[in-house]
Amino acid sequence: MKTTRPVLRRLALVSAAAASAVLLAACGGNDSADHAGHNSPSGPAASPRASAPSGAHNPADVAFAKGMIPHHRQAVEMAGLAATRAASSQVKELATTIMKAQDPEITTMSGWLTAWGEQVPGKTSGTDHSGMTAMPGMDHSAMPGMMDAKEMDALKKKSGKDFDASFLEMMVGHHRGALRMAGTEKTEGAYGPAKTLAESVIKGQSAEITRMNKLLGKG
């Protein structure tokens, strides 16, 4: 019995030491795994979405908003003429649709520019070719689809079927210009909401072009 007891005691101590070593190894392994998980390229900290600044935008987004605001304003101005000049109820309905779609978009894009610390077109002195206030140094007629002063003045003097035909022809060209601008934003822009709006412009105005061509007898 005297010989057995020391042996059993030594076995117990060895077992306890082994258990402690296993426990420490397990803890050390978990710490290493956690550390690797937070710092490895595949971890959350390295995710492009997590590291990208919220609401990031680039010069293409700014150019899109600054160009599309006056572009929309002219379309709204043209559409506003239809209420008292158009003969076709379909043209009047189309004009109302254009105004309801583009007015809120003007407000949205103006909000973006303000948040970005950029000047909103139409907030400075001066008058451009469509009767809207213009930013100094900007030639809105250079934008795709924009009408010049003579074209706008000529449209204002028309009524009835003559107005309908001119309005539809001009608005088709105007919309096609907007599609080009929206296409550039989709390709070169970085701001998610702006790219989404560009896609909406492409979808909505493409459908309106088809509608207007049918009214012109071209569809």
Side-chain angles (χ1 to χ4, degrees):
M1 294 296 293
K2 290 182 179 180
T3 303
T4 304
R5 286 179 179 177
V7 171
L8 292 175
R9 188 176 299 168
R10 284 197 296 272
L11 289 173
L13 291 172
V14 169
S15 298
S20 297
V22 171
L23 179 61
L24 290 172
C27 292
N30 288 339
D31 288 343
S32 297
D34 290 342
H35 184 74
H38 286 297
N39 293 282
S40 65
S42 60
S47 169
R49 289 181 178 273
S51 61
S54 177
H57 67 281
N58 66 12
D61 298 314
V62 175
F64 173 68
K66 285 190 173 184
M68 196 61 81
I69 287 173
H71 204 275
H72 271 22
R73 282 187 179 139
Q74 188 179 70
V76 169
E77 182 186 9
M78 291 167 65
L81 300 174
T84 57
R85 292 170 174 80
S88 169
S89 60
Q90 291 177 296
V91 170
K92 290 181 179 181
E93 180 184 351
L94 174 67
T96 299
T97 299
I98 290 171
M99 293 173 71
K100 287 182 177 180
Q102 298 195 25
D103 257 333
E105 291 175 351
I106 292 170
T107 301
T108 296
M109 290 184 287
S110 296
W112 294 342
L113 291 175
T114 299
W116 297 337
E118 300 284 346
Q119 190 172 25
V120 178
K123 300 300 181 182
T124 57
S125 60
T127 302
D128 71 5
H129 59 277
S130 65
M132 300 179 297
T133 53
M135 294 179 67
M138 287 190 68
D139 179 13
H140 294 320
S141 64
M143 289 189 295
M146 288 289 279
M147 304 299 129
D148 60 26
K150 291 182 179 179
E151 290 171 314
M152 289 298 294
D153 289 341
L155 184 63
K156 291 175 183 179
K157 295 175 181 177
K158 295 180 179 181
S159 61
K161 292 183 179 180
D162 190 25
F163 173 87
D164 293 347
S166 294
F167 172 81
L168 292 171
E169 290 282 3
M170 291 171 67
M171 193 62 80
V172 166
H174 202 271
H175 274 23
R176 284 176 177 158
L179 296 186
R180 288 175 56 190
M181 296 166 68
T184 299
E185 168 59 20
K186 280 191 63 180
T187 302
E188 301 178 8
Y191 187 55
K195 292 169 77 71
T196 298
L197 189 147
E199 179 60 35
S200 178
V201 167
I202 291 171
K203 182 178 179 180
Q205 296 199 21
S206 291
E208 289 173 355
I209 288 173
T210 299
R211 183 180 175 186
M212 289 187 285
N213 279 329
K214 287 182 178 179
L215 291 174
L216 287 166
K218 296 180 180 180

